[in-house]
PDB file of all heavy atoms in Angstrom:
ATOM      1  N   VAL A  30       1.987  -5.677  14.261  1.00 95.00           N
ATOM      2  CA  VAL A  30       1.647  -6.851  15.071  1.00 95.00           C
ATOM      3  C   VAL A  30       0.155  -7.191  15.000  1.00 95.00           C
ATOM      4  O   VAL A  30      -0.224  -8.359  14.921  1.00 95.00           O
ATOM      5  CB  VAL A  30       2.054  -6.612  16.548  1.00 95.00           C
ATOM      6  CG1 VAL A  30       1.559  -7.753  17.431  1.00 95.00           C
ATOM      7  CG2 VAL A  30       3.563  -6.467  16.662  1.00 95.00           C
ATOM      8  N   ASN A  31      -0.689  -6.157  14.993  1.00 96.00           N
ATOM      9  CA  ASN A  31      -2.129  -6.378  15.141  1.00 96.00           C
ATOM     10  C   ASN A  31      -2.957  -6.261  13.862  1.00 96.00           C
ATOM     11  O   ASN A  31      -4.031  -6.863  13.770  1.00 96.00           O
ATOM     12  CB  ASN A  31      -2.685  -5.399  16.177  1.00 96.00           C
ATOM     13  CG  ASN A  31      -2.075  -5.587  17.544  1.00 96.00           C
ATOM     14  OD1 ASN A  31      -2.424  -6.523  18.249  1.00 96.00           O
ATOM     15  ND2 ASN A  31      -1.139  -4.723  17.917  1.00 96.00           N
ATOM     16  N   HIS A  32      -2.491  -5.479  12.906  1.00 96.00           N
ATOM     17  CA  HIS A  32      -3.244  -5.270  11.652  1.00 96.00           C
ATOM     18  C   HIS A  32      -2.230  -5.160  10.502  1.00 96.00           C
ATOM     19  O   HIS A  32      -1.956  -4.056  10.026  1.00 96.00           O
ATOM     20  CB  HIS A  32      -4.094  -3.996  11.738  1.00 96.00           C
ATOM     21  CG  HIS A  32      -5.041  -3.956  12.888  1.00 96.00           C
ATOM     22  ND1 HIS A  32      -6.300  -4.502  12.832  1.00 96.00           N
ATOM     23  CD2 HIS A  32      -4.902  -3.443  14.137  1.00 96.00           C
ATOM     24  CE1 HIS A  32      -6.909  -4.310  13.994  1.00 96.00           C
ATOM     25  NE2 HIS A  32      -6.079  -3.676  14.797  1.00 96.00           N
ATOM     26  N   TYR A  33      -1.725  -6.301  10.057  1.00 96.00           N
ATOM     27  CA  TYR A  33      -0.590  -6.246   9.128  1.00 96.00           C
ATOM     28  C   TYR A  33      -0.929  -5.549   7.806  1.00 96.00           C
ATOM     29  O   TYR A  33      -0.143  -4.733   7.314  1.00 96.00           O
ATOM     30  CB  TYR A  33      -0.045  -7.649   8.832  1.00 96.00           C
ATOM     31  CG  TYR A  33       1.166  -7.569   7.939  1.00 96.00           C
ATOM     32  CD1 TYR A  33       2.408  -7.207   8.452  1.00 96.00           C
ATOM     33  CD2 TYR A  33       1.062  -7.787   6.561  1.00 96.00           C
ATOM     34  CE1 TYR A  33       3.527  -7.076   7.636  1.00 96.00           C
ATOM     35  CE2 TYR A  33       2.167  -7.657   5.736  1.00 96.00           C
ATOM     36  CZ  TYR A  33       3.397  -7.299   6.281  1.00 96.00           C
ATOM     37  OH  TYR A  33       4.499  -7.152   5.458  1.00 96.00           O
ATOM     38  N   ASN A  34      -2.072  -5.860   7.200  1.00 96.00           N
ATOM     39  CA  ASN A  34      -2.424  -5.218   5.934  1.00 96.00           C
ATOM     40  C   ASN A  34      -2.526  -3.700   6.082  1.00 96.00           C
ATOM     41  O   ASN A  34      -2.119  -2.940   5.203  1.00 96.00           O
ATOM     42  CB  ASN A  34      -3.751  -5.765   5.403  1.00 96.00           C
ATOM     43  CG  ASN A  34      -3.554  -6.986   4.519  1.00 96.00           C
ATOM     44  OD1 ASN A  34      -2.428  -7.367   4.218  1.00 96.00           O
ATOM     45  ND2 ASN A  34      -4.643  -7.601   4.105  1.00 96.00           N
ATOM     46  N   LEU A  35      -3.071  -3.265   7.206  1.00 96.00           N
ATOM     47  CA  LEU A  35      -3.181  -1.835   7.489  1.00 96.00           C
ATOM     48  C   LEU A  35      -1.789  -1.238   7.688  1.00 96.00           C
ATOM     49  O   LEU A  35      -1.518  -0.112   7.247  1.00 96.00           O
ATOM     50  CB  LEU A  35      -4.036  -1.611   8.734  1.00 96.00           C
ATOM     51  CG  LEU A  35      -4.508  -0.189   9.009  1.00 96.00           C
ATOM     52  CD1 LEU A  35      -5.322   0.365   7.835  1.00 96.00           C
ATOM     53  CD2 LEU A  35      -5.349  -0.149  10.276  1.00 96.00           C
ATOM     54  N   TYR A  36      -0.919  -2.000   8.342  1.00 96.00           N
ATOM     55  CA  TYR A  36       0.477  -1.564   8.514  1.00 96.00           C
ATOM     56  C   TYR A  36       1.153  -1.365   7.167  1.00 96.00           C
ATOM     57  O   TYR A  36       1.805  -0.339   6.921  1.00 96.00           O
ATOM     58  CB  TYR A  36       1.238  -2.602   9.339  1.00 96.00           C
ATOM     59  CG  TYR A  36       2.745  -2.510   9.218  1.00 96.00           C
ATOM     60  CD1 TYR A  36       3.458  -1.481   9.826  1.00 96.00           C
ATOM     61  CD2 TYR A  36       3.455  -3.460   8.475  1.00 96.00           C
ATOM     62  CE1 TYR A  36       4.836  -1.396   9.711  1.00 96.00           C
ATOM     63  CE2 TYR A  36       4.833  -3.392   8.356  1.00 96.00           C
ATOM     64  CZ  TYR A  36       5.526  -2.349   8.966  1.00 96.00           C
ATOM     65  OH  TYR A  36       6.889  -2.265   8.842  1.00 96.00           O
ATOM     66  N   LEU A  37       0.995  -2.342   6.275  1.00 96.00           N
ATOM     67  CA  LEU A  37       1.618  -2.258   4.960  1.00 96.00           C
ATOM     68  C   LEU A  37       1.059  -1.091   4.161  1.00 96.00           C
ATOM     69  O   LEU A  37       1.800  -0.361   3.494  1.00 96.00           O
ATOM     70  CB  LEU A  37       1.401  -3.565   4.201  1.00 96.00           C
ATOM     71  CG  LEU A  37       2.182  -3.742   2.897  1.00 96.00           C
ATOM     72  CD1 LEU A  37       3.684  -3.666   3.145  1.00 96.00           C
ATOM     73  CD2 LEU A  37       1.823  -5.073   2.240  1.00 96.00           C
ATOM     74  N   CYS A  38      -0.252  -0.886   4.249  1.00 96.00           N
ATOM     75  CA  CYS A  38      -0.897   0.247   3.574  1.00 96.00           C
ATOM     76  C   CYS A  38      -0.346   1.568   4.098  1.00 96.00           C
ATOM     77  O   CYS A  38      -0.009   2.475   3.326  1.00 96.00           O
ATOM     78  CB  CYS A  38      -2.412   0.189   3.781  1.00 96.00           C
ATOM     79  SG  CYS A  38      -3.305   1.619   3.161  1.00 96.00           S
ATOM     80  N   ALA A  39      -0.246   1.700   5.431  1.00 95.00           N
ATOM     81  CA  ALA A  39       0.262   2.929   6.042  1.00 95.00           C
ATOM     82  C   ALA A  39       1.721   3.168   5.657  1.00 95.00           C
ATOM     83  O   ALA A  39       2.132   4.306   5.406  1.00 95.00           O
ATOM     84  CB  ALA A  39       0.125   2.850   7.558  1.00 95.00           C
ATOM     85  N   LEU A  40       2.488   2.087   5.595  1.00 96.00           N
ATOM     86  CA  LEU A  40       3.903   2.204   5.254  1.00 96.00           C
ATOM     87  C   LEU A  40       4.089   2.687   3.811  1.00 96.00           C
ATOM     88  O   LEU A  40       4.954   3.520   3.528  1.00 96.00           O
ATOM     89  CB  LEU A  40       4.589   0.844   5.447  1.00 96.00           C
ATOM     90  CG  LEU A  40       6.116   0.857   5.617  1.00 96.00           C
ATOM     91  CD1 LEU A  40       6.506   1.610   6.864  1.00 96.00           C
ATOM     92  CD2 LEU A  40       6.649  -0.581   5.682  1.00 96.00           C
ATOM     93  N   ILE A  41       3.258   2.173   2.891  1.00 95.00           N
ATOM     94  CA  ILE A  41       3.318   2.604   1.488  1.00 95.00           C
ATOM     95  C   ILE A  41       2.809   4.040   1.351  1.00 95.00           C
ATOM     96  O   ILE A  41       3.372   4.840   0.609  1.00 95.00           O
ATOM     97  CB  ILE A  41       2.485   1.656   0.599  1.00 95.00           C
ATOM     98  CG1 ILE A  41       3.070   0.245   0.630  1.00 95.00           C
ATOM     99  CG2 ILE A  41       2.443   2.169  -0.842  1.00 95.00           C
ATOM    100  CD1 ILE A  41       2.208  -0.802  -0.071  1.00 95.00           C
ATOM    101  N   THR A  42       1.751   4.354   2.091  1.00 94.00           N
ATOM    102  CA  THR A  42       1.203   5.715   2.064  1.00 94.00           C
ATOM    103  C   THR A  42       2.259   6.716   2.527  1.00 94.00           C
ATOM    104  O   THR A  42       2.421   7.789   1.930  1.00 94.00           O
ATOM    105  CB  THR A  42      -0.038   5.815   2.976  1.00 94.00           C
ATOM    106  OG1 THR A  42      -1.029   4.899   2.503  1.00 94.00           O
ATOM    107  CG2 THR A  42      -0.619   7.216   2.963  1.00 94.00           C
ATOM    108  N   TYR A  43       2.977   6.356   3.579  1.00 94.00           N
ATOM    109  CA  TYR A  43       4.031   7.233   4.115  1.00 94.00           C
ATOM    110  C   TYR A  43       5.266   7.245   3.221  1.00 94.00           C
ATOM    111  O   TYR A  43       5.796   8.307   2.886  1.00 94.00           O
ATOM    112  CB  TYR A  43       4.422   6.763   5.521  1.00 94.00           C
ATOM    113  CG  TYR A  43       5.562   7.551   6.128  1.00 94.00           C
ATOM    114  CD1 TYR A  43       5.346   8.805   6.698  1.00 94.00           C
ATOM    115  CD2 TYR A  43       6.863   7.042   6.139  1.00 94.00           C
ATOM    116  CE1 TYR A  43       6.387   9.540   7.248  1.00 94.00           C
ATOM    117  CE2 TYR A  43       7.913   7.754   6.689  1.00 94.00           C
ATOM    118  CZ  TYR A  43       7.660   9.013   7.248  1.00 94.00           C
ATOM    119  OH  TYR A  43       8.706   9.733   7.780  1.00 94.00           O
ATOM    120  N   GLY A  44       5.726   6.079   2.818  1.00 93.00           N
ATOM    121  CA  GLY A  44       6.984   5.987   2.076  1.00 93.00           C
ATOM    122  C   GLY A  44       6.903   6.393   0.622  1.00 93.00           C
ATOM    123  O   GLY A  44       7.888   6.872   0.048  1.00 93.00           O
ATOM    124  N   CYS A  45       5.724   6.221   0.007  1.00 92.00           N
ATOM    125  CA  CYS A  45       5.577   6.518  -1.425  1.00 92.00           C
ATOM    126  C   CYS A  45       4.593   7.651  -1.700  1.00 92.00           C
ATOM    127  O   CYS A  45       4.400   8.034  -2.855  1.00 92.00           O
ATOM    128  CB  CYS A  45       5.119   5.268  -2.170  1.00 92.00           C
ATOM    129  SG  CYS A  45       6.281   3.896  -2.074  1.00 92.00           S
ATOM    130  N   LEU A  46       3.944   8.179  -0.653  1.00 89.00           N
ATOM    131  CA  LEU A  46       2.983   9.277  -0.766  1.00 89.00           C
ATOM    132  C   LEU A  46       1.815   8.939  -1.696  1.00 89.00           C
ATOM    133  O   LEU A  46       1.265   9.806  -2.366  1.00 89.00           O
ATOM    134  CB  LEU A  46       3.670  10.574  -1.225  1.00 89.00           C
ATOM    135  CG  LEU A  46       4.460  11.301  -0.149  1.00 89.00           C
ATOM    136  CD1 LEU A  46       5.861  10.684  -0.026  1.00 89.00           C
ATOM    137  CD2 LEU A  46       4.592  12.780  -0.460  1.00 89.00           C
ATOM    138  N   LEU A  47       1.450   7.656  -1.755  1.00 91.00           N
ATOM    139  CA  LEU A  47       0.284   7.260  -2.539  1.00 91.00           C
ATOM    140  C   LEU A  47      -0.963   7.375  -1.670  1.00 91.00           C
ATOM    141  O   LEU A  47      -0.890   7.347  -0.445  1.00 91.00           O
ATOM    142  CB  LEU A  47       0.437   5.825  -3.037  1.00 91.00           C
ATOM    143  CG  LEU A  47       1.562   5.569  -4.040  1.00 91.00           C
ATOM    144  CD1 LEU A  47       1.607   4.089  -4.413  1.00 91.00           C
ATOM    145  CD2 LEU A  47       1.390   6.419  -5.282  1.00 91.00           C
ATOM    146  N   ARG A  48      -2.106   7.493  -2.310  1.00 89.00           N
ATOM    147  CA  ARG A  48      -3.378   7.611  -1.592  1.00 89.00           C
ATOM    148  C   ARG A  48      -3.850   6.214  -1.186  1.00 89.00           C
ATOM    149  O   ARG A  48      -3.941   5.326  -2.035  1.00 89.00           O
ATOM    150  CB  ARG A  48      -4.410   8.313  -2.474  1.00 89.00           C
ATOM    151  CG  ARG A  48      -4.006   9.752  -2.810  1.00 89.00           C
ATOM    152  CD  ARG A  48      -4.893  10.348  -3.873  1.00 89.00           C
ATOM    153  NE  ARG A  48      -4.523  11.727  -4.186  1.00 89.00           N
ATOM    154  CZ  ARG A  48      -3.561  12.080  -5.052  1.00 89.00           C
ATOM    155  NH1 ARG A  48      -2.881  11.137  -5.700  1.00 89.00           N
ATOM    156  NH2 ARG A  48      -3.295  13.355  -5.265  1.00 89.00           N
ATOM    157  N   PRO A  49      -4.191   6.041   0.097  1.00 91.00           N
ATOM    158  CA  PRO A  49      -4.423   4.686   0.612  1.00 91.00           C
ATOM    159  C   PRO A  49      -5.626   3.946   0.051  1.00 91.00           C
ATOM    160  O   PRO A  49      -5.527   2.761  -0.279  1.00 91.00           O
ATOM    161  CB  PRO A  49      -4.591   4.919   2.124  1.00 91.00           C
ATOM    162  CG  PRO A  49      -4.990   6.357   2.269  1.00 91.00           C
ATOM    163  CD  PRO A  49      -4.293   7.076   1.137  1.00 91.00           C
ATOM    164  N   HIS A  50      -6.768   4.622  -0.090  1.00 88.00           N
ATOM    165  CA  HIS A  50      -8.004   3.893  -0.376  1.00 88.00           C
ATOM    166  C   HIS A  50      -8.150   3.430  -1.822  1.00 88.00           C
ATOM    167  O   HIS A  50      -8.938   2.532  -2.106  1.00 88.00           O
ATOM    168  CB  HIS A  50      -9.208   4.740   0.019  1.00 88.00           C
ATOM    169  CG  HIS A  50      -9.218   5.077   1.484  1.00 88.00           C
ATOM    170  ND1 HIS A  50      -9.319   4.111   2.461  1.00 88.00           N
ATOM    171  CD2 HIS A  50      -9.103   6.274   2.127  1.00 88.00           C
ATOM    172  CE1 HIS A  50      -9.280   4.698   3.651  1.00 88.00           C
ATOM    173  NE2 HIS A  50      -9.159   6.001   3.483  1.00 88.00           N
ATOM    174  N   GLN A  51      -7.411   4.037  -2.740  1.00 85.00           N
ATOM    175  CA  GLN A  51      -7.497   3.623  -4.136  1.00 85.00           C
ATOM    176  C   GLN A  51      -6.143   3.178  -4.670  1.00 85.00           C
ATOM    177  O   GLN A  51      -5.947   2.030  -5.041  1.00 85.00           O
ATOM    178  CB  GLN A  51      -8.061   4.769  -5.000  1.00 85.00           C
ATOM    179  CG  GLN A  51      -9.522   5.077  -4.720  1.00 85.00           C
ATOM    180  CD  GLN A  51     -10.424   3.886  -4.933  1.00 85.00           C
ATOM    181  OE1 GLN A  51     -10.330   3.190  -5.937  1.00 85.00           O
ATOM    182  NE2 GLN A  51     -11.324   3.630  -3.997  1.00 85.00           N
ATOM    183  N   GLU A  52      -5.194   4.110  -4.699  1.00 90.00           N
ATOM    184  CA  GLU A  52      -3.895   3.813  -5.317  1.00 90.00           C
ATOM    185  C   GLU A  52      -3.172   2.689  -4.589  1.00 90.00           C
ATOM    186  O   GLU A  52      -2.593   1.790  -5.223  1.00 90.00           O
ATOM    187  CB  GLU A  52      -3.037   5.084  -5.333  1.00 90.00           C
ATOM    188  CG  GLU A  52      -3.619   6.171  -6.211  1.00 90.00           C
ATOM    189  CD  GLU A  52      -2.959   7.527  -6.039  1.00 90.00           C
ATOM    190  OE1 GLU A  52      -2.125   7.680  -5.123  1.00 90.00           O
ATOM    191  OE2 GLU A  52      -3.275   8.437  -6.820  1.00 90.00           O
ATOM    192  N   VAL A  53      -3.187   2.707  -3.261  1.00 94.00           N
ATOM    193  CA  VAL A  53      -2.496   1.665  -2.491  1.00 94.00           C
ATOM    194  C   VAL A  53      -3.305   0.370  -2.478  1.00 94.00           C
ATOM    195  O   VAL A  53      -2.776  -0.713  -2.739  1.00 94.00           O
ATOM    196  CB  VAL A  53      -2.225   2.145  -1.052  1.00 94.00           C
ATOM    197  CG1 VAL A  53      -1.586   1.012  -0.236  1.00 94.00           C
ATOM    198  CG2 VAL A  53      -1.315   3.371  -1.054  1.00 94.00           C
ATOM    199  N   ARG A  54      -4.596   0.471  -2.183  1.00 93.00           N
ATOM    200  CA  ARG A  54      -5.451  -0.722  -2.044  1.00 93.00           C
ATOM    201  C   ARG A  54      -5.429  -1.603  -3.286  1.00 93.00           C
ATOM    202  O   ARG A  54      -5.509  -2.830  -3.197  1.00 93.00           O
ATOM    203  CB  ARG A  54      -6.896  -0.286  -1.748  1.00 93.00           C
ATOM    204  CG  ARG A  54      -7.884  -1.433  -1.597  1.00 93.00           C
ATOM    205  CD  ARG A  54      -9.283  -0.918  -1.268  1.00 93.00           C
ATOM    206  NE  ARG A  54      -9.788  -0.023  -2.319  1.00 93.00           N
ATOM    207  CZ  ARG A  54     -10.425  -0.426  -3.406  1.00 93.00           C
ATOM    208  NH1 ARG A  54     -10.621  -1.725  -3.602  1.00 93.00           N
ATOM    209  NH2 ARG A  54     -10.866   0.445  -4.297  1.00 93.00           N
ATOM    210  N   GLN A  55      -5.290  -1.011  -4.465  1.00 92.00           N
ATOM    211  CA  GLN A  55      -5.377  -1.775  -5.709  1.00 92.00           C
ATOM    212  C   GLN A  55      -4.012  -2.167  -6.285  1.00 92.00           C
ATOM    213  O   GLN A  55      -3.933  -2.635  -7.421  1.00 92.00           O
ATOM    214  CB  GLN A  55      -6.163  -0.972  -6.747  1.00 92.00           C
ATOM    215  CG  GLN A  55      -7.591  -0.675  -6.283  1.00 92.00           C
ATOM    216  CD  GLN A  55      -8.424   0.004  -7.354  1.00 92.00           C
ATOM    217  OE1 GLN A  55      -9.050  -0.646  -8.180  1.00 92.00           O
ATOM    218  NE2 GLN A  55      -8.434   1.326  -7.351  1.00 92.00           N
ATOM    219  N   LEU A  56      -2.959  -1.982  -5.502  1.00 94.00           N
ATOM    220  CA  LEU A  56      -1.620  -2.332  -5.993  1.00 94.00           C
ATOM    221  C   LEU A  56      -1.495  -3.838  -6.241  1.00 94.00           C
ATOM    222  O   LEU A  56      -1.932  -4.661  -5.436  1.00 94.00           O
ATOM    223  CB  LEU A  56      -0.551  -1.900  -4.985  1.00 94.00           C
ATOM    224  CG  LEU A  56      -0.170  -0.419  -4.966  1.00 94.00           C
ATOM    225  CD1 LEU A  56       0.834  -0.151  -3.848  1.00 94.00           C
ATOM    226  CD2 LEU A  56       0.413   0.010  -6.316  1.00 94.00           C
ATOM    227  N   LYS A  57      -0.872  -4.158  -7.374  1.00 94.00           N
ATOM    228  CA  LYS A  57      -0.613  -5.554  -7.728  1.00 94.00           C
ATOM    229  C   LYS A  57       0.888  -5.756  -7.910  1.00 94.00           C
ATOM    230  O   LYS A  57       1.652  -4.788  -7.993  1.00 94.00           O
ATOM    231  CB  LYS A  57      -1.349  -5.913  -9.024  1.00 94.00           C
ATOM    232  CG  LYS A  57      -2.858  -5.795  -8.930  1.00 94.00           C
ATOM    233  CD  LYS A  57      -3.512  -6.127 -10.266  1.00 94.00           C
ATOM    234  CE  LYS A  57      -5.029  -5.984 -10.198  1.00 94.00           C
ATOM    235  NZ  LYS A  57      -5.666  -6.280 -11.501  1.00 94.00           N
ATOM    236  N   LEU A  58       1.263  -6.995  -7.998  1.00 94.00           N
ATOM    237  CA  LEU A  58       2.676  -7.325  -8.178  1.00 94.00           C
ATOM    238  C   LEU A  58       3.235  -6.696  -9.449  1.00 94.00           C
ATOM    239  O   LEU A  58       4.393  -6.278  -9.505  1.00 94.00           O
ATOM    240  CB  LEU A  58       2.851  -8.846  -8.218  1.00 94.00           C
ATOM    241  CG  LEU A  58       4.283  -9.381  -8.092  1.00 94.00           C
ATOM    242  CD1 LEU A  58       4.921  -8.926  -6.792  1.00 94.00           C
ATOM    243  CD2 LEU A  58       4.274 -10.908  -8.172  1.00 94.00           C
ATOM    244  N   LYS A  59       2.389  -6.570 -10.466  1.00 94.00           N
ATOM    245  CA  LYS A  59       2.840  -6.004 -11.744  1.00 94.00           C
ATOM    246  C   LYS A  59       3.202  -4.531 -11.635  1.00 94.00           C
ATOM    247  O   LYS A  59       3.923  -3.993 -12.484  1.00 94.00           O
ATOM    248  CB  LYS A  59       1.769  -6.193 -12.819  1.00 94.00           C
ATOM    249  CG  LYS A  59       0.506  -5.367 -12.613  1.00 94.00           C
ATOM    250  CD  LYS A  59      -0.491  -5.582 -13.737  1.00 94.00           C
ATOM    251  CE  LYS A  59      -1.752  -4.730 -13.569  1.00 94.00           C
ATOM    252  NZ  LYS A  59      -2.724  -4.965 -14.663  1.00 94.00           N
ATOM    253  N   HIS A  60       2.700  -3.853 -10.613  1.00 95.00           N
ATOM    254  CA  HIS A  60       2.998  -2.434 -10.445  1.00 95.00           C
ATOM    255  C   HIS A  60       4.368  -2.201  -9.817  1.00 95.00           C
ATOM    256  O   HIS A  60       4.877  -1.078  -9.824  1.00 95.00           O
ATOM    257  CB  HIS A  60       1.933  -1.766  -9.560  1.00 95.00           C
ATOM    258  CG  HIS A  60       0.575  -1.770 -10.172  1.00 95.00           C
ATOM    259  ND1 HIS A  60      -0.539  -2.293  -9.530  1.00 95.00           N
ATOM    260  CD2 HIS A  60       0.136  -1.333 -11.379  1.00 95.00           C
ATOM    261  CE1 HIS A  60      -1.597  -2.163 -10.306  1.00 95.00           C
ATOM    262  NE2 HIS A  60      -1.214  -1.591 -11.437  1.00 95.00           N
ATOM    263  N   ILE A  61       4.951  -3.257  -9.261  1.00 95.00           N
ATOM    264  CA  ILE A  61       6.230  -3.134  -8.554  1.00 95.00           C
ATOM    265  C   ILE A  61       7.343  -3.693  -9.425  1.00 95.00           C
ATOM    266  O   ILE A  61       7.223  -4.791  -9.968  1.00 95.00           O
ATOM    267  CB  ILE A  61       6.166  -3.887  -7.211  1.00 95.00           C
ATOM    268  CG1 ILE A  61       4.993  -3.351  -6.362  1.00 95.00           C
ATOM    269  CG2 ILE A  61       7.478  -3.748  -6.450  1.00 95.00           C
ATOM    270  CD1 ILE A  61       4.719  -4.167  -5.112  1.00 95.00           C
ATOM    271  N   SER A  62       8.414  -2.931  -9.568  1.00 94.00           N
ATOM    272  CA  SER A  62       9.535  -3.390 -10.396  1.00 94.00           C
ATOM    273  C   SER A  62      10.158  -4.649  -9.786  1.00 94.00           C
ATOM    274  O   SER A  62      10.021  -4.912  -8.581  1.00 94.00           O
ATOM    275  CB  SER A  62      10.602  -2.294 -10.506  1.00 94.00           C
ATOM    276  OG  SER A  62      11.117  -1.958  -9.234  1.00 94.00           O
ATOM    277  N   LYS A  63      10.846  -5.431 -10.603  1.00 93.00           N
ATOM    278  CA  LYS A  63      11.381  -6.719 -10.159  1.00 93.00           C
ATOM    279  C   LYS A  63      12.371  -6.599  -9.019  1.00 93.00           C
ATOM    280  O   LYS A  63      12.505  -7.504  -8.191  1.00 93.00           O
ATOM    281  CB  LYS A  63      12.025  -7.440 -11.350  1.00 93.00           C
ATOM    282  CG  LYS A  63      11.011  -7.925 -12.375  1.00 93.00           C
ATOM    283  CD  LYS A  63      11.674  -8.719 -13.479  1.00 93.00           C
ATOM    284  CE  LYS A  63      10.628  -9.253 -14.474  1.00 93.00           C
ATOM    285  NZ  LYS A  63      11.231 -10.040 -15.568  1.00 93.00           N
TER     286      LYS A  63
END
């Protein structure tokens, strides 16, 4: 509700075990399968 980008980052960090400040922050559409 209050910090959506941070929410999405936390959700990916938790769900995919990626590191938030580099691996998650730099994710692009091309990194995600169709």
Side-chain angles (χ1 to χ4, degrees):
V30 173
N31 298 284
H32 304 274
Y33 183 78
N34 271 354
L35 193 58
Y36 161 73
L37 190 59
C38 174
L40 201 63
I41 297 172
T42 300
Y43 176 79
C45 298
L46 283 83
L47 294 179
R48 297 170 179 84
H50 299 297
Q51 292 302 313
E52 295 168 352
V53 176
R54 179 178 59 87
Q55 299 186 88
L56 282 176
K57 298 178 181 179
L58 193 59
K59 69 179 182 181
H60 296 125
I61 303 171
S62 61
K63 290 184 178 180

